[in-house]
Amino acid sequence: MRIWVAAAVLATWGTTALGAEREAPPYPDRGLKDTVSAKRLPVPPHPVLVEGGEIWDANCRICHGPGNFGAPKITGSRFWGKRLPKGIATLISHAQNGFETSLGGLMPARGGNDELTDDEVEAAVRFMVFHSGGADIALDGLD
């Protein structure tokens, strides 16, 4: 039983749980292989994005790390290409309020965690956008 639990934890965390190095861009258009965690990515250049990485890892990684349930995978510019032109304000609004795509995909409000504040959701979205081909968009409006 213990071996199965350990294997499940490692499969969820990926090899970086064991201290693998961070993977720098450019990333493949479909994103990094396997489930992505914040520990696999370079530390962003702004404190809001650093905080966003912690929030993202704890709340958003379950869907956006592997690209499950129609969620665009972090680092996958192919999946973010149609979303980024909408602008950071729209992407933040979709994450805060929820959004249903024309293909039936569903982004639950606050990723299903009603305890997240607007600022925390914004930080997580900015982190994800920064690492998915939208660095300039993610930094837009930050001091």
Side-chain angles (χ1 to χ4, degrees):
M1 176 72 170
R2 288 184 197 164
I3 292 173
W4 184 87
V5 171
V9 168
L10 287 176
T12 301
W13 286 352
T15 57
T16 55
L18 301 176
E21 292 190 28
R22 295 178 185 267
E23 300 179 50
Y27 304 120
D29 70 337
R30 291 184 168 268
L32 293 173
K33 187 176 178 184
D34 300 323
T35 297
V36 179
S37 71
K39 291 179 176 149
R40 287 182 66 185
L41 304 172
V43 176
H46 194 283
V48 168
L49 300 179
V50 173
E51 177 188 11
E54 295 169 8
I55 295 161
W56 180 88
D57 222 33
N59 295 277
C60 313
R61 178 173 57 118
I62 191 75
C63 294
H64 291 280
N68 283 341
F69 311 112
K73 183 175 185 172
I74 192 170
T75 70
S77 60
R78 176 179 185 161
F79 308 114
W80 285 92
K82 292 181 181 176
R83 291 169 172 90
L84 295 177
K86 295 178 181 181
I88 194 70
T90 298
L91 297 173
I92 291 167
S93 175
H94 288 175
Q96 289 172 340
N97 303 309
F99 180 74
E100 188 171 348
T101 70
S102 60
L103 300 175
L106 177 67
M107 169 67 207
R110 301 176 189 289
N113 182 352
D114 292 337
E115 294 182 14
L116 289 175
T117 67
D118 285 350
D119 288 344
E120 289 171 328
V121 173
E122 178 178 342
V125 170
R126 287 181 181 275
F127 172 81
M128 191 163 25
V129 167
F130 181 84
H131 287 295
S132 300
D136 292 342
I137 296 167
L139 294 167
D140 187 40
L142 296 178
D143 296 328

